[in-house]
Amino acid sequence: MEKINSFTRVKLKKKFSKVLVIYSGGTIGMVRNEENIYVPKAGVMAEKVKAYPQLYDLDEANEYRDKYHKENILVLPDTGDTSRVVYAIQEYNPLLDSSNVTIDDWIKIAMAIKEAYEVFDGFTILHGTDTMAYTASALSFMLENLGKTVIITGSQIPLYEARSDGLHNFLGSLIIAGNYCVPEVTIFFNNKLFRGNRTSKVSTSSLEAFNSPNLSPLASIGIGIQVDWKNIFYHSTIEKFKVHHTLNRNVGLLRLFPSITIEVVRAFLNPPIEGVVLQTYGAGNGPSRRKDILDELELAHKRGVIIVNCTQCPLGQVDPSYETGRALIDAGVLPGSDMTPEAALTKLSYVLGKTEWSMQTKCDMMRTNLRGELSVHKEMKLEDSDVVTAVVKALGLSSSKELDDLRDTLYPSILCHIVSEGNLEKLDIMRQCGAYLSACDYDYRTPLHIACENGNVAIVEYLLQHGASVHMRDREHRTPLLSAIENDHHEIIKLLIRAGGYLNLKNTKVGEIICSAAKENNLRRLISLRLAGADLNELDATQRSALHYATEMNFGDIVCFLLQHSIDISVQDLYGNTCYDIAKLLNHNKIQEMLEKHICI
């Protein structure tokens, strides 16, 4: 795939978001050949979308092109959402029909996201529908500690045809990826956003090609966009985003049917198979009177084959309370709850690829809800906060929609107020009542922004452990990490970096901040910047480094700190002066000695 790096040097004045479109192939970009058959056509997608005013704002794009000379930048028209979406298309070579997708293609897509992760705010993958659910499930496990929106979409009718569903699918995925932080791998189809590992293709001809029978949509697009924030899956670890690209290929699906022969079962379970999704009847039932099959399953289990029981029914889950299902558990088969076959298979491939895990850990992980792929039922015993209850009574609200709208309106302000007070107990109550912990106030600040600004380590840690996004930006485009840096909260900076935060600023901007700290003798700020991953050698617009300014101002502590952290003393400013030249010229003898010692070392 062609490298996309045109955004790394572009700074737009308007509030914007950047989305990378990974075009792997599929019906959405196909054209009819001379035999009237749909085939992929390379090199036309980026140009074709310019013909659609819903996908391309010519005037805005021309303004960017003239100003920044970036030919491959595409811009959505103003959709009335928080941010204007700027996007680029990265095209597979060759383009694929999704029936030909393999594990290698999953790895390729995952690595493309990894490479561009810090440049883009969200990702849209254009993909064929036939194996879309497999790709979405696989990526959901491979993309560990995901903190940004990844949406897979496609179409039943090619984009270039008059009745195509591809236009709305593509447009909707771009809007959501650019404006809503849903840190999951999802599928967007027919105005609904589904969790990817809960989704299956259900129709070859309907525009409602996908469904998620055991989980309601995460978002729906009508006149507005409604996101079910309570349903979003969040990671509970404070770790950076990474890609696990080692997948086990020795996995398979074995569907039971009446009178299945023992020879078929035995052949399927023989080496090199290491993981099996056993598709059973009803609530996870198998032929309990078929001792030959049960014995073969038990032998495979003892050889180290992980076997997971999933129902053939699209709706419902495995229930081991039936005698026929209990017999499978006794044979070593793991209950798969309500996982789709696609999710169970790709999860097996992922778990078996974790060579650092023991066999017991792998079995435990197959029963654990890793990415929202299986249901975990919790009893809710806490009521909404008193303030919400009071407002409900005062306004006389009764319908569920009115209550939901009220919560959506009040919760962000309540959360931010609770965090500003440092009240962890109330924050926990709000979370258990379904409050979205990355909700924005009127300045687009999240609770994490406020906790970072106030220096409350305990609340920052709590928010990160419950899925608060480190990538959200306020009205001034500041992330929580920048809030922590501006207030020099070092422990919080370390936490945010552990959670995947990073300095998403141009090098020249970072240079200006570093040089400003040096000029102001602000050692604590320099420590903050270093903890956040800034290169202390960055220069400002005059090609001067922080060491130039510290030397000129005769700030010995700053010079000492910079020298301890691999600062380059040979850099010359616009006038050709090194730091040593400046120290000598101004008779700053102590600094001159420090620089001389550093040169000798």
Side-chain angles (χ1 to χ4, degrees), residues 327-345:
L328 292 172
I329 291 178
D330 292 340
V333 178
L334 303 176
S337 186
D338 54 357
M339 282 191 288
T340 65
E342 297 92 338
L345 184 74

Side-chain angles (χ1 to χ4, degrees), residues 489-505:
H489 297 312
H490 294 167
E491 291 305 311
I492 289 177
I493 292 171
K494 293 175 186 177
L495 277 172
L496 295 171
I497 294 296
R498 274 177 52 200
Y502 57 89
L503 271 175
N504 191 16
L505 298 172

Side-chain angles (χ1 to χ4, degrees), residues 68-317:
Y68 302 108
H69 308 290
K70 305 300 177 186
E71 294 299 323
N72 58 347
I73 288 179
L74 301 166
V75 186
L76 283 188
D78 187 355
T79 57
D81 295 282
T82 304
S83 298
R84 176 70 73 93
V85 176
V86 180
Y87 65 104
I89 297 177
Q90 183 170 301
E91 185 172 302
Y92 249 50
N93 184 19
L95 292 169
L96 293 174
D97 184 298
S98 72
S99 299
N100 294 317
V101 166
T102 67
I103 284 179
D104 295 324
D105 296 298
W106 299 341
I107 295 172
K108 191 175 181 181
I109 293 171
M111 296 309 290
I113 292 173
K114 178 183 178 182
E115 183 178 346
Y117 191 76
E118 294 191 0
V119 177
F120 292 88
D121 301 302
F123 300 86
T124 289
I125 301 165
L126 300 181
H127 194 286
T129 58
D130 287 345
T131 58
M132 186 181 289
Y134 285 98
T135 297
S137 295
L139 289 176
S140 75
F141 299 113
M142 297 169 69
L143 303 181
E144 298 181 339
N145 308 309
L146 181 64
K148 298 186 178 183
T149 308
V150 176
I151 301 178
I152 306 178
T153 193
S155 67
Q156 295 283 69
I157 304 171
L159 180 64
Y160 317 133
E161 297 204 1
R163 293 183 55 253
S164 174
D165 56 328
L167 173 60
H168 294 293
N169 289 344
F170 191 17
L171 176 60
S173 70
L174 288 172
I175 293 172
I176 294 175
N179 285 279
Y180 297 86
C181 186
V182 180
E184 298 194 38
V185 177
T186 57
I187 288 176
F188 183 78
F189 228 86
N190 198 40
N191 293 320
K192 292 184 176 65
L193 186 74
F194 300 106
R195 178 170 297 153
N197 57 38
R198 288 290 198 140
T199 311
S200 295
K201 186 174 181 180
V202 295
S203 176
T204 62
S205 56
S206 171
L207 299 186
E208 292 188 71
F210 289 87
N211 194 15
S212 176
N214 292 307
L215 187 73
S216 58
L218 301 181
S220 300
I221 293 184
I223 294 176
I225 297 177
Q226 301 297 323
V227 180
D228 184 0
W229 294 114
K230 297 187 294 297
N231 234 356
I232 306 299
F233 182 82
Y234 299 102
H235 298 279
S236 58
T237 56
I238 303 177
E239 293 184 30
K240 292 182 179 180
F241 167 76
K242 60 182 177 180
V243 172
H244 179 78
H245 55 78
T246 304
L247 299 177
N248 190 303
R249 300 167 189 263
N250 298 320
V251 295
L253 292 160
L254 176 60
R255 185 179 177 95
L256 293 182
F257 55 89
S259 298
I260 186 172
T261 66
I262 188 59
E263 288 78 17
V264 169
V265 175
R266 184 178 295 123
F268 193 88
L269 296 175
N270 276 339
I273 201 74
E274 296 180 55
V276 174
V277 177
L278 186 67
Q279 293 185 270
T280 57
Y281 313 125
N285 302 317
S288 59
R289 296 182 182 179
R290 290 289 303 272
K291 188 174 184 301
D292 54 346
I293 291 179
L294 294 174
D295 287 345
E296 203 62 45
L297 292 171
E298 187 172 2
L299 284 173
H301 165 67
K302 290 179 178 178
R303 289 198 306 270
V305 178
I306 297 180
I307 308 171
V308 181
N309 181 5
C310 290
T311 173
Q312 296 176 14
C313 302
L315 184 63
Q317 64 181 22

Side-chain angles (χ1 to χ4, degrees), residues 442-482:
Y442 61 92
D443 270 333
Y444 301 110
R445 292 185 307 167
T446 66
L448 187 58
H449 279 94
I450 294 170
C452 289
E453 182 178 321
N454 292 347
N456 194 317
V457 176
I459 286 187
V460 168
E461 191 165 11
Y462 177 90
L463 289 168
L464 293 175
Q465 287 174 340
H466 291 91
S469 173
V470 297
H471 305 296
M472 300 287 279
R473 299 179 184 180
D474 64 15
R475 191 180 295 276
E476 301 300 321
H477 249 208
R478 293 175 301 185
T479 62
L481 179 59
L482 281 176

